[in-house]
């Protein structure tokens, strides 16, 4: 989504008394003037950039569901298990800095300007993904299933690489590990625990590793 602008236009119309313009749409008003039934002119009152973080609110105020300017792309589920650095590597381009398709830098800049975060851009994206996780999680198939996070490394990943995270609903640790192995054949399981937060799971894994060293 590129930069969105908010432009307020004032329209003045002279028309016959019997022609009520109450509730008329912009398109129909244009036709009314173009057809010669009335005469009018428009004037731009103001035009300003809308910060990314305010676009949805402005759309809702106009009666839209907030998705008008969306690109329709779903979040890549792999992103939910990535660290800030892994996200940066994935989305940076040869031309320079990249950004996440769901969380543009304009939104981050707005949050920084409002004093809502002191995180760097990719750390902020990782946090946004954590908050979005529940929206993308499917309903539990039965009451016996619980949320699990499985840390794993791809088959060709160096042994010291930061592990990725796989999330699922499972009956047990074995069931969770099995789902991860089915999703990423040849991967090596590093750590598994109940929960929904890859960040918390990584902290638990790192703490356990430190205690063992």
């Amino acid at each position: 989504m590129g930069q969105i602008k908010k432009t307020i236009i004032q329209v003045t119309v002279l028309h016959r008394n019997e022609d009520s313009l109450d509730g008329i749409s912009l398109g129909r008003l244009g036709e009314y003037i173009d057809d010669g039934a009335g005469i009018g002119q428009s004037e731009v009152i103001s035009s300003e950039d809308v910060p990314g973080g305010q676009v949805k609110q402005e759309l809702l105020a106009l009666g839209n569901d907030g998705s008008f300017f969306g690109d329709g792309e779903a979040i890549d589920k792999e992103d939910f298990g990535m660290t800030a650095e892994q996200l940066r590597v994935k989305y940076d381009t040869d031309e320079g800095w990249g950004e996440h398709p769901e969380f543009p830098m304009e939104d981050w800049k707005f949050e920084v300007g409002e004093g809502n975060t002191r995180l760097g851009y990719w750390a902020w994206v990782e946090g946004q993904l954590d908050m979005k996780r529940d929206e993308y999680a499917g309903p539990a198939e039965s009451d016996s299933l619980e949320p699990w996070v499985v840390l794993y490394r791809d088959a060709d990943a160096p042994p010291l690489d930061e592990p990725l995270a796989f999330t699922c609903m499972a009956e047990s640790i074995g069931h969770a590990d099995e789902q991860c192995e089915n999703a990423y054949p040849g991967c090596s399981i590093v750590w598994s625990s109940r929960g929904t937060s890859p960040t918390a799971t990584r902290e638990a894994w790192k703490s356990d590793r430190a205690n063992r060293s």
Side-chain angles (χ1 to χ4, degrees):
M1 179 177 68
Q3 178 61 55
I4 304 302
K5 298 187 76 70
K6 177 180 180 179
T7 301
I8 298 176
I9 301 174
Q10 177 177 290
V11 179
T12 302
V13 181
L14 295 179
H15 60 96
R16 295 179 177 83
N17 183 61
E18 59 269 22
D19 294 342
S20 174
L21 301 184
D22 291 347
I24 192 171
S25 68
L26 288 175
R28 183 68 189 90
L29 180 60
E31 293 175 2
Y32 180 82
I33 295 173
D34 290 342
D35 291 344
I39 185 171
Q41 68 175 18
S42 62
E43 177 185 3
V44 174
I45 302 301
S46 65
S47 185
E48 59 186 6
D49 291 343
V50 179
Q54 294 182 3
V55 172
K56 184 173 182 178
Q57 293 91 321
E58 294 287 352
L59 287 171
L60 292 173
L62 293 177
N64 183 256
D65 64 1
S67 64
F68 182 83
F69 293 110
D71 55 19
E73 295 182 8
I75 295 176
D76 185 344
K77 289 188 176 181
E78 184 183 64
D79 291 358
F80 289 117
M82 288 186 165
T83 64
E85 177 61 16
Q86 289 168 336
L87 289 164
R88 183 193 68 77
V89 170
K90 177 177 179 178
Y91 287 104
D92 272 0
T93 66
D94 293 338
E95 288 73 32
W97 293 347
E99 65 178 11
H100 195 280
E102 182 72 12
F103 308 107
M105 282 193 180
E106 283 300 319
D107 288 12
W108 167 71
K109 290 177 182 177
F110 174 77
E111 294 297 329
V112 171
E114 291 293 301
N116 295 330
T117 184
R118 293 184 178 181
L119 295 173
Y121 173 68
W122 288 112
W124 173 78
V125 170
E126 183 181 1
Q128 296 301 303
L129 287 166
D130 276 349
M131 290 189 289
K132 281 274 189 178
R133 180 181 307 280
D134 289 344
E135 296 179 22
Y136 281 76
E141 295 179 1
S142 75
D143 292 339
S144 65
L145 299 181
E146 297 179 295
W148 284 80
V149 178
V150 181
L151 301 183
Y152 71 96
R153 292 190 181 94
D154 285 326
D156 56 352
L160 296 181
D161 266 15
E162 184 81 4
L164 302 175
F166 172 81
T167 59
C168 63
M169 300 296 293
E171 298 174 349
S172 64
I173 185 171
H175 186 203
D177 290 352
E178 179 184 5
Q179 291 185 61
C180 182
E181 290 168 342
N182 289 338
Y184 302 97
C187 71
S188 59
I189 304 298
V190 176
W191 181 269
S192 304
S193 65
R194 291 183 182 87
T196 60
S197 171
T199 300
T201 302
R202 285 195 183 90
E203 290 301 318
W205 165 64
K206 290 177 181 178
S207 176
D208 180 78
R209 187 174 57 173
N211 291 336
R212 292 173 181 269
S213 61

